[in-house]
Amino acid sequence: MTAVVRILLRRVALLVPLLLGIVLFVFLVMRFSDVDPASAFFQGANPTPGQLHDFRERNGLLDPLPLRYVHFVGDLLHGDLGTSALTRAPVVDQVTTALPLTLQLTFLGLALAVVLALAGGVTAAVYRDRPADQVIRVVSLVGVAAPGFWLALLMIQYLAVDRGWFPTGGYVNPADSLAGWLRTMALPAFALSLPVAAQLTRIVRTSVVEELDKDYVRTAIGSGLPPRVVVGRNVLRNALVNPLTVLGLRVGYLLGGAVVIETIFSLPGMGKLMIDAVQNGDPAVVQGVVLTTATGFVVVNLVIDILYLLVNPRLRAA
């Protein structure tokens, strides 16, 4: 157990310089962009040069860049993401309102991708080179090539507009109606998850096939153990390491894809918040959304590292 704790502490310690690097990158990109925070704050008000200068002086925009970065990090440590130039409200309040929906969509899409990939990949591996395997491989290949936004538009046309089985957009809070929440989140979650599920299916199939060809599997089945027990108890656990690696990398796609999917389905999440902020010239909100999304990606990859330890004893021994 001591070795596991050391590995986890080392992973957590690596998060600090990584997060500081992300903050520095976002800080520099926003500071060297064409968007002027002072002009954005007074947009539509025709401010005088004196008003612009006073605003920049009050908010430290005239300080040297290293000092501004130190103040920026200090504000982040106190939970201050700045103030929206459009609504004059704290950015953290807007992020807090939009983040739960994006998390719901991302993790629902992640769960669907994992379930579909395990079902398809294991079935294709067990029945390899048979019709079921051929069908799953073709479907997964099409899924890898199909972009999520295209699938979303097809689903809206055929399942929402033509048949009326699902709404074309909007959001229902699960606290108000669980059934309504499921109906509004079903199409966005499937559109987000299918490309990831297709890629994971191919990787799960390859990993399971490699495990099935090993001697311990033939020995276990030859000794009388049912194949489904061997696959479920031993093969699947040993074959999950490679899919977990890809899953950690694809979390970034899920978070980034949620931006597009939320816009298509008019979901008031982080994606729509950022798109609106870009269109309205609100740099503080864009900055807050990017930092929150990047931090979420780093934290999820830490969770994936912990899952590595659970499914791979050899990694713990190393």
Side-chain angles (χ1 to χ4, degrees):
M1 181 62 76
T2 304
V4 175
V5 173
R6 281 204 306 269
I7 293 174
L8 292 179
L9 290 177
R10 189 160 59 244
R11 293 285 195 275
V12 173
L14 289 174
L15 290 183
V16 177
L18 180 59
L19 288 175
L20 286 176
I22 292 173
V23 170
L24 177 61
F25 176 77
V26 174
F27 173 81
L28 292 176
V29 168
M30 296 303 298
R31 294 311 174 274
F32 288 106
S33 68
D34 295 332
V35 180
D36 180 17
S39 300
F41 185 83
F42 288 105
Q43 56 181 317
N46 295 321
T48 64
Q51 289 176 314
L52 292 173
H53 183 272
D54 291 341
F55 177 85
R56 295 188 180 103
E57 189 173 24
R58 286 197 312 271
N59 291 274
L61 299 178
L62 301 179
D63 294 336
L65 199 61
L67 181 60
R68 291 167 61 186
Y69 175 70
V70 171
H71 291 160
F72 180 63
V73 174
D75 291 339
L76 291 179
L77 292 176
H78 289 87
D80 184 5
L81 294 175
T83 302
S84 169
L86 188 65
T87 64
R88 305 295 194 269
V91 173
V92 68
D93 292 344
Q94 299 184 51
V95 170
T96 303
T97 301
L99 183 59
L101 189 147
T102 298
L103 291 178
Q104 293 170 25
L105 177 59
T106 300
F107 285 106
L108 190 57
L110 182 64
L112 285 172
V114 170
V115 171
L116 293 173
L118 288 177
V122 173
T123 302
V126 172
Y127 296 98
R128 57 177 151 174
D129 299 328
R130 300 180 188 177
D133 180 26
Q134 300 297 336
V135 171
I136 291 174
R137 291 168 69 180
V138 171
V139 172
S140 64
L141 182 61
V142 173
V144 170
F149 71 87
W150 181 73
L151 293 173
L153 294 175
L154 286 181
M155 290 179 180
I156 291 175
Q157 180 63 45
Y158 291 107
L159 299 180
V161 176
D162 292 348
R163 290 168 176 78
W165 294 345
F166 299 95
T168 58
Y171 175 72
V172 175
N173 195 303
D176 298 330
S177 173
L178 183 59
W181 176 77
L182 288 173
R183 291 188 74 244
T184 56
M185 297 295 287
L187 293 187
F190 270 107
L192 185 64
S193 67
L194 287 179
V196 177
Q199 184 179 17
L200 284 177
T201 297
R202 298 171 64 84
I203 297 171
V204 169
R205 179 194 178 278
T206 301
S207 297
V208 174
V209 165
E210 290 177 355
E211 288 295 320
L212 289 174
D213 288 338
K214 292 184 177 178
D215 292 337
Y216 79 89
V217 176
R218 289 191 290 268
T219 302
I221 294 177
S223 64
L225 287 176
R228 64 177 181 275
V229 174
V230 177
V231 172
R233 185 176 299 174
N234 302 104
V235 172
L236 193 56
R237 180 172 181 175
N238 293 332
L240 282 179
V241 177
N242 289 335
L244 275 176
T245 304
V246 177
L247 183 62
L249 298 175
R250 299 309 288 173
V251 169
Y253 167 83
L254 290 171
L255 290 171
V259 174
V260 179
I261 298 299
E262 286 174 2
T263 303
I264 293 175
F265 287 94
S266 299
L267 297 174
M270 296 282 281
K272 190 172 186 304
L273 178 63
M274 186 169 70
I275 294 297
D276 291 343
V278 170
Q279 292 176 342
N280 296 322
D282 200 340
V285 175
V286 174
Q287 180 176 267
V289 171
V290 171
L291 284 173
T292 304
T293 304
T295 302
F297 175 72
V298 171
V299 172
V300 170
N301 275 272
L302 174 63
V303 175
I304 297 296
D305 285 342
I306 296 174
L307 291 178
Y308 286 158
L309 298 177
L310 297 178
V311 302
N312 191 356
R314 289 171 296 182
L315 184 61
R316 295 197 297 270

